[in-house]
């Protein structure tokens, strides 16, 4: 029986266990940085200094936020479906971190203390599919969290999550078809290597824009932050969450933000490749991080600028605008690739 | 009232009977309904107690009374298809988008609003009643606190009513100073509206931008009166102080700056595609409905009715100034937005004209029975000392009568009714608060729209709970 999928480079098992911990650690420690970065940046956009009380220049603000949440009482509504209520934030966060695992920070294995280590969690030849799979499972965290809270606000938030999910996800997938056809692979490292000459953002500009917009919907950022919709649904699906469980959703949200940046970097901005420069391998992760920061900055900028859509408008936009554009983009790419 | 417990406070007994009976009837009604539906929560004893005592002494107090209110008869009227599943959601009193402690009993079908009942009263402060225990001039800071974003307007309406009763002439300079402060206050109030509305539809940065200009206005208020909010600047017969030196320059700087700032807000919102899709054709109610419900102000003007009391019944020298009344065409949220933005520009124009044409002269009436004598006179004039003493201790006596003074507030017609019994304290002070009246139209605007549009409409309605509940 043929293998369903193969894995690129992989290390001995003990290195893999270590690596899993490291990826988890890196993912987790990027969260407070992203949190602080977003709040500082938003502050500057809005004529205010942003957090600057806790620690030097407010650097300990995220730690204070998260520790405060963790120190709070773990409560749940009387009518909540207990185990689902507890499980949902975990699902949301685990899935967010799992997608982070697939983002490659360098192509060739780097030599760390004599052991060649690939700077990614997993280099599967169906990497992109796994990303999508985890992203879809991750929305169960939102759906079930809203459903199990037994609150009307949470319920409406969960309903919106379902509506939003079906609206953006197909467009998001189709937008990537162009990249996949051009690269001829689903492996994220190989997609990056295909971009050594020309970043996909140039030939795949339409796909990049479509994917970026759909990603905003996926990670619930403005103008598509309808699940939380703090003005109408209080906090949407997480209205009834507090303390540590809320912190999990909160962390998941920022992991999503980083993953969105990393994924866009990987798929469209050439990953660790720089134009005209062939930097040493140990610089690769920093190049990826720098590009991720650019994307994250852009997302925060959008948040500071735009109002949010209504959820029926998002659905209309997803089905009537994004989906046709993504489809045409995929078709044109396919024709061009075959005819070339 | 002979069957009343003797512990009941005896003062103002003449007001009590009507209210007391009313409460008792309502109590009996609730008790009956409990019996009818066989509610197990209310034992017979409690029901009897409810029926016999006023609401304030119901066992279990306010909460029990609140729990006993039955809205089912009102909600039964929701017109929809038979098989539709309705969801009743209670938004507020603590909800981020209700601009205070407004409670919206909302019936949803999916996300479509089928019915909405605004429930008010959570911020009741009893200011109107408290005013009856204060001398006329001591009631000004109280009325200022009703609609806490329009304190100059509250003071103006109240002072205007008392001045009507006194038949007191306000000097021209005071009228102009009043106009300047009123229009500054209008801009300030609209800026808060702009920021919170933009925040409600997700454009968060506007809030900080508009509050930046609001700060400038509050600084001007602090400069002229010593207070940023609730300035107590308007007095019966004029204003408390002449404007200080340098204030005019600060004001002119603001007048120069403000139109540019408005352009900046417009650049972010007016032609923003998402903003347009959220605001256009949402929250529409026909002008006839609005007029039938007594809605005034930018809401009515957005629907195309050019009704502005500054033009219709000019007060405080508004007929001296050249300004326009912006009106909308459709009456949707976008028109409301445009009208308010245009109003801010017009206000800037009025301020400019008022400061250019500011007449010299006294800033408060010279009638010593109404206004305090200048400080220096106290040392030399016996009469001034007597007037000062009488005004500070007892206050002015106002001829018996009634007066209603209506002005154009930032949210519509803001009227103050004052009844005088000839003493130095008002017998009744009542504010016709525009937010309260306007809120009645919320249901007409929101029914059939999405819940997100309801929030936007509520924001564009610009209700102020301090004014609604008073």
């Amino acid at each position: 029986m043929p293998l369903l999928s193969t894995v690129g480079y992989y290390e001995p098992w003990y290195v893999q266990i270590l690596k899993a911990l490291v990826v988890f650690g890196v993912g987790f420690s990027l969260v407070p940085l992203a949190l602080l970065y977003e709040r500082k940046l938003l502050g500057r956009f809005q004529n205010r200094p942003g957090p600057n009380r806790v620690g030097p220049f407010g650097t300990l603000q995220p730690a204070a936020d998260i520790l405060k949440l963790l120190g709070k009482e773990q409560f749940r509504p009387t009518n909540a479906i207990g185990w689902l209520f507890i499980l949902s934030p975990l699902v949301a966060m685990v899935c967010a971190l799992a997608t982070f695992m697939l983002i490659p920070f360098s192509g060739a294995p780097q030599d760390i203390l004599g052991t060649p280590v690939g700077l990614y969690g997993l280099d599967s030849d169906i990497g992109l599919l796994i990303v999508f799979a985890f992203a879809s499972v991750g929305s169960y965290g939102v759906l079930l969290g809203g459903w199990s809270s037994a609150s009307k606000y949470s319920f409406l938030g969960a309903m919106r999550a379902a509506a939003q999910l079906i609206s953006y996800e197909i467009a998001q997938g189709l937008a990537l078809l162009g990249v996949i056809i051009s690269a001829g692979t689903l492996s994220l490292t190989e997609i990056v290597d295909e971009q050594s000459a020309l970043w996909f953002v140039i030939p795949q500009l339409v796909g990049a824009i479509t994917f970026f917009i759909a990603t905003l919907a996926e990670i619930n950022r403005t103008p598509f932050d309808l699940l939380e919709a703090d003005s109408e649904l209080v906090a949407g699906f997480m209205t009834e969450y507090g303390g540590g469980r809320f912190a999990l959703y909160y962390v998941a949200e920022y992991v999503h933000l980083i993953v969105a940046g990393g994924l866009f970097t990987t798929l469209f901005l050439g990953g660790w490749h720089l134009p005209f420069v062939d930097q040493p391998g140990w610089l690769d992760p920093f190049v990826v991080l720098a590009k991720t920061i650019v994307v994250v900055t852009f997302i925060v900028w959008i948040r500071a600028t735009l109002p949010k859509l209504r959820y029926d408008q998002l659905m209309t936009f997803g089905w009537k605008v994004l989906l046709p554009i993504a489809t045409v983009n995929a078709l044109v790419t396919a024709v061009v690739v075959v005819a070339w | 009232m002979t069957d009343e417990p003797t512990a009941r406070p005896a003062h103002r007994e003449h007001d009590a009977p009507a209210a007391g009976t009313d409460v008792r009837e309502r109590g009996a009604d609730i008790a009956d309904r409990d019996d009818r539906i066989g509610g197990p929560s209310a034992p017979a004893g409690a029901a009897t107690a409810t029926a016999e005592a006023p609401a304030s002494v119901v066992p279990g107090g306010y909460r029990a009374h609140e729990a006993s209110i039955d809205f089912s008869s009102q909600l039964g009227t929701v017109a929809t298809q038979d098989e539709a599943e309705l969801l009743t959601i209670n938004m507020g009193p603590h909800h981020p988008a209700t601009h205070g402690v407004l409670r919206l009993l909302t019936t949803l079908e999916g996300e479509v609003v089928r019915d909405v009942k605004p429930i008010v009263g959570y911020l009741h402060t009893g200011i109107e009643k408290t005013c009856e225990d204060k001398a006329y001039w001591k009631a000004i800071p109280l009325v200022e606190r009703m609609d806490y974003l329009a304190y100059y307007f509250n003071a103006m309406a109240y002072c205007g009513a008392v001045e009507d009763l006194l038949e007191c002439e306000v000097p021209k300079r005071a009228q102009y100073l009043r106009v300047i402060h009123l229009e500054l206050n209008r801009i300030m109030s609209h800026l808060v509206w702009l920021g919170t509305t933009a925040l409600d539809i997700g454009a968060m940065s506007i809030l900080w931008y508009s509050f930046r200009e609001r700060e400038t206005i509050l600084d001007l208020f602090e400069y002229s009166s010593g207070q940023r909010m609730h300035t107590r600047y308007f007095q019966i017969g004029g204003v408390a102080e002449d404007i200080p030196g340098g204030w005019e320059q600060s004001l002119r700087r603001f007048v120069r700056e403000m139109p540019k700032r408005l352009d900046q807000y417009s650049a972010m919102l007016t032609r923003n595609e998402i903003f347009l899709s959220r605001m256009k054709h949402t929250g529409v109610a026909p002008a006839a409905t609005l007029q039938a419900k007594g809605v005034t102000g930018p809401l009515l003007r957005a629907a195309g009715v050019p009704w502005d009391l500054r033009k219709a019944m000019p007060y405080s020298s508004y007929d001296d100034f050249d300004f326009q009344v912006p009106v909308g065409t459709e009456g949707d949220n976008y028109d409301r937005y445009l009208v308010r933005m245009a109003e801010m520009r017009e206000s800037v124009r009025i301020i400019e004209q008022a400061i250019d044409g500011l007449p010299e002269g006294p800033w408060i009436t010279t009638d010593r029975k109404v206004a305090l004598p200048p400080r220096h006179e106290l040392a030399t004039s016996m009469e001034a000392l007597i007037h000062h003493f009488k005004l500070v201790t007892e206050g002015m006596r106002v001829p018996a009568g009634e007066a209603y003074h209506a002005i154009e507030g930032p949210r519509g017609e803001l009227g103050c009714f004052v009844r005088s019994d000839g003493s130095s304290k008002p017998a009744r002070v009542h504010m016709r608060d525009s937010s309260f009246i306007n809120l009645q139209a919320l249901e007409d605007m929101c029914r059939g729209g999405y819940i997100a549009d309801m929030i936007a409409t509520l924001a564009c309605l610009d209700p102020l709970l301090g004014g609604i509940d008073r």
Side-chain angles (χ1 to χ4, degrees):
Chain A
M1 187 183 162
L3 279 171
L4 290 175
S5 83
T6 54
V7 174
Y9 174 78
Y10 60 95
E11 303 84 0
W13 62 271
Y14 53 91
V15 180
Q16 291 208 20
I17 290 174
L18 251 162
K19 216 166 78 169
L21 291 175
V22 168
V23 169
F24 191 74
V26 169
F28 247 161
S29 30
L30 282 177
V31 167
L33 292 176
L35 211 158
L36 187 68
Y37 183 65
E38 171 169 39
R39 292 186 59 178
K40 276 280 183 191
L41 202 61
L42 268 184
R44 297 319 303 165
F45 274 120
Q46 291 161 350
N47 261 325
R48 57 191 175 92
N52 64 357
R53 296 287 120 177
V54 191
F57 305 105
T59 40
L60 295 181
Q61 184 68 44
D65 281 356
I66 291 170
L67 283 179
K68 179 208 70 169
L69 286 173
L70 291 181
K72 284 194 163 186
E73 185 191 350
Q74 302 276 338
F75 61 89
R76 68 182 177 85
T78 324
N79 297 332
I81 306 168
W83 63 277
L84 265 183
F85 187 77
I86 293 165
L87 188 68
S88 305
L90 285 172
V91 169
M93 201 194 62
V94 166
C95 292
L97 276 172
T99 38
F100 182 73
M101 167 192 83
L102 287 143
I103 291 175
F105 280 84
S106 177
Q110 302 296 319
D111 191 51
I112 297 178
L113 302 175
T115 321
V117 179
L119 296 186
Y120 35 72
L122 176 72
D123 176 25
S124 165
D125 67 347
I126 53 161
L128 209 45
L129 275 186
I130 301 181
V131 169
F132 269 90
F134 274 119
S136 302
V137 176
S139 48
Y140 277 101
V142 172
L143 274 173
L144 295 178
W147 171 253
S148 61
S149 299
S151 151
K152 289 172 180 175
Y153 288 112
S154 308
F155 172 70
L156 282 174
M159 221 159 64
R160 285 185 178 189
Q164 189 163 328
L165 179 76
I166 53 168
S167 310
Y168 69 76
E169 200 156 61
I170 301 174
Q172 195 187 21
L174 277 172
L176 282 187
L177 263 190
V179 170
I180 296 165
I181 294 168
S182 308
T185 172
L186 283 167
S187 157
L188 288 167
T189 45
E190 284 173 36
I191 288 178
V192 173
D193 274 331
E194 285 288 321
Q195 302 178 66
S196 56
L198 185 63
W199 297 358
F200 276 145
V201 71
I202 295 164
Q204 284 294 324
L205 185 62
V206 179
I209 293 170
T210 321
F211 176 76
F212 184 75
I213 294 172
T215 306
L216 287 182
E218 187 203 347
I219 62 174
N220 307 327
R221 303 293 297 195
T222 319
F224 307 116
D225 56 341
L226 309 173
L227 309 193
E228 293 167 47
D230 45 356
S231 53
E232 58 243 35
L233 297 186
V234 188
F237 65 94
M238 46 185 180
T239 306
E240 301 296 339
Y241 281 95
R245 290 174 196 142
F246 171 76
L248 284 183
Y249 273 129
Y250 202 55
V251 167
E253 198 172 298
Y254 281 92
V255 175
H256 273 307
L257 178 65
I258 299 161
V259 168
L263 208 57
F264 193 80
T265 305
T266 307
L267 295 171
F268 291 103
L269 297 183
W272 52 86
H273 291 299
L274 285 176
F276 318 118
V277 183
D278 201 15
Q279 79 277 20
W282 61 270
L283 270 179
D284 288 354
F286 298 100
V287 174
V288 175
L289 268 182
K291 289 178 180 175
T292 306
I293 289 171
V294 170
V295 180
V296 168
T297 308
F298 193 62
I299 295 176
V300 175
W301 184 11
I302 288 176
R303 183 178 171 195
T305 312
L306 291 182
K308 61 169 169 272
L309 283 168
R310 219 165 52 202
Y311 101 116
D312 65 305
Q313 289 168 341
L314 166 66
M315 290 182 72
T316 315
F317 182 68
W319 287 108
K320 292 188 181 167
V321 181
L322 280 187
L323 186 60
I325 290 179
T327 316
V328 170
N329 179 57
L331 276 176
V332 170
T333 312
V335 169
V336 168
V337 165
V338 170
W340 207 262
Chain B
M1 301 305 289
T2 47
D3 58 341
E4 281 293 320
T6 47
R8 199 180 150 81
H11 68 89
R12 297 218 178 257
E13 196 63 40
H14 57 280
D15 274 353
T21 338
D22 185 36
V23 169
R24 285 149 121 247
E25 276 168 15
R26 203 147 23 97
D29 186 30
I30 293 160
D32 287 347
R33 191 174 297 152
D34 278 346
D35 288 344
R36 194 173 65 241
I37 60 172
S41 58
T48 322
T50 314
E52 281 183 356
S56 54
V57 287
V58 170
Y62 173 72
R63 285 284 162 215
H65 178 64
E66 190 194 42
S68 69
I69 299 174
D70 183 14
F71 290 103
S72 58
S73 58
Q74 292 179 43
L75 289 172
T77 59
V78 176
T80 181
Q81 288 127 7
D82 292 340
E83 66 270 26
E85 280 190 58
L86 295 180
L87 173 74
T88 304
I89 193 165
N90 185 35
M91 300 182 97
H94 301 291
H95 187 281
T98 51
H99 293 231
V101 280
L102 176 64
R103 183 170 156 207
L104 297 173
L105 201 62
T106 315
T107 307
L108 301 175
E109 181 187 343
E111 289 226 1
V112 178
V113 177
R114 290 293 174 214
D115 190 43
V116 52
K117 293 260 182 281
I119 300 166
V120 300
Y122 293 92
L123 199 60
H124 181 61
T125 40
I127 288 176
E128 288 183 353
K129 190 69 186 164
T130 315
C131 287
E132 294 169 16
D133 248 2
K134 304 275 179 197
Y136 278 94
W137 62 281
K138 287 181 184 170
I140 298 173
L142 279 171
V143 293
E144 277 185 338
R145 277 157 179 77
M146 288 180 177
D147 183 343
Y148 45 82
L149 286 184
Y151 29 94
Y152 280 109
F153 290 94
N154 295 334
M156 177 72 213
Y158 172 75
C159 290
V162 178
E163 281 156 12
D164 289 352
L165 284 172
L166 285 166
E167 290 172 9
C168 158
E169 190 68 30
V170 180
K172 203 72 173 165
R173 187 177 176 85
Q175 294 188 10
Y176 272 54
L177 286 177
R178 280 181 175 182
V179 166
I180 293 173
H181 283 91
L182 286 172
E183 293 307 317
L184 279 175
N185 195 166
R186 190 186 310 278
I187 298 175
M188 185 276 258
S189 175
H190 280 359
L191 281 174
V192 175
W193 161 81
L194 176 69
T196 51
T197 303
L199 189 67
D200 275 352
I201 62 164
M204 59 194 300
S205 295
I206 297 282
L207 179 76
W208 278 273
Y209 301 151
S210 61
F211 269 57
R212 174 186 56 197
E213 270 63 71
R214 181 174 181 260
E215 277 301 303
T216 321
I217 296 178
L218 291 184
D219 286 347
L220 282 170
F221 288 167
E222 190 179 6
Y223 201 165
S224 68
S225 65
Q227 295 287 330
R228 294 164 69 76
M229 292 180 78
H230 312 307
T231 53
R232 208 194 186 292
Y233 184 63
F234 289 4
Q235 301 292 313
I236 295 161
V239 295
E241 286 275 358
D242 200 1
I243 45 171
W247 194 77
E248 190 185 329
Q249 282 73 27
S250 299
L251 182 69
R252 285 190 192 280
R253 210 175 306 129
F254 169 77
V255 165
R256 268 197 310 278
E257 200 60 33
M258 192 61 204
K260 291 180 212 158
R261 300 296 195 190
L262 286 168
D263 289 341
Q264 290 177 0
Y265 310 145
S266 292
M268 274 189 90
L269 291 177
T270 304
R271 273 174 295 169
N272 183 324
E273 192 60 41
I274 300 176
F275 186 76
L276 284 174
S277 66
R278 284 298 307 275
M279 301 294 267
K280 278 210 157 188
H281 315 303
T282 58
V284 189
T289 314
L290 295 181
Q291 280 175 319
K293 300 225 163 169
V295 174
T296 46
L299 293 173
L300 186 62
R301 289 196 284 274
V305 183
W307 175 251
D308 188 325
L309 287 176
R310 290 175 295 177
K311 288 275 189 199
M313 298 195 260
Y315 52 92
S316 196
S317 300
Y318 264 109
D319 36 2
D320 290 3
F321 307 116
D322 171 37
F323 65 101
Q324 290 175 326
V325 178
V327 288
T329 48
E330 195 186 341
D332 56 359
N333 287 337
Y334 189 60
D335 277 347
R336 287 163 198 158
Y337 160 80
L338 289 179
V339 162
R340 286 198 173 95
M341 292 297 269
E343 262 180 29
M344 282 195 259
R345 287 180 201 277
E346 293 302 321
S347 290
V348 172
R349 274 183 65 201
I350 296 174
I351 294 170
E352 217 169 1
Q353 294 169 42
I355 195 73
D356 284 342
L358 188 65
E360 293 298 323
W363 58 87
I364 193 161
T365 176
T366 44
D367 185 352
R368 291 284 180 264
K369 301 282 181 205
V370 175
L372 286 176
R375 199 78 200 164
H376 64 84
E377 274 186 25
L378 298 186
T380 52
S381 161
M382 186 64 173
E383 288 217 329
L385 199 60
I386 292 169
H387 282 134
H388 187 276
F389 179 76
K390 281 298 279 181
L391 274 175
V392 170
T393 50
E394 193 198 2
M396 68 207 77
R397 294 221 173 142
V398 173
E402 294 177 351
Y404 176 74
H405 192 81
I407 59 169
E408 185 67 28
R411 279 162 269 280
E413 177 183 337
L414 182 74
C416 187
F417 169 83
V418 177
R419 187 170 76 208
S420 169
D421 52 7
S423 74
S424 63
K425 293 172 181 174
R428 177 82 171 101
V429 174
H430 173 70
M431 205 61 110
R432 184 232 189 249
D433 191 273
S434 27
S435 312
F436 180 65
I437 312 284
N438 292 354
L439 193 65
Q440 297 181 96
L442 179 70
E443 198 180 341
D444 296 302
M445 296 173 183
C446 297
R447 201 183 283 130
Y450 284 93
I451 186 168
D453 286 341
M454 184 179 83
I455 298 300
T457 308
L458 182 69
C460 282
L461 200 99
D462 196 15
L464 228 115
L465 271 294
I468 289 175
D469 290 343
R470 299 189 289 280

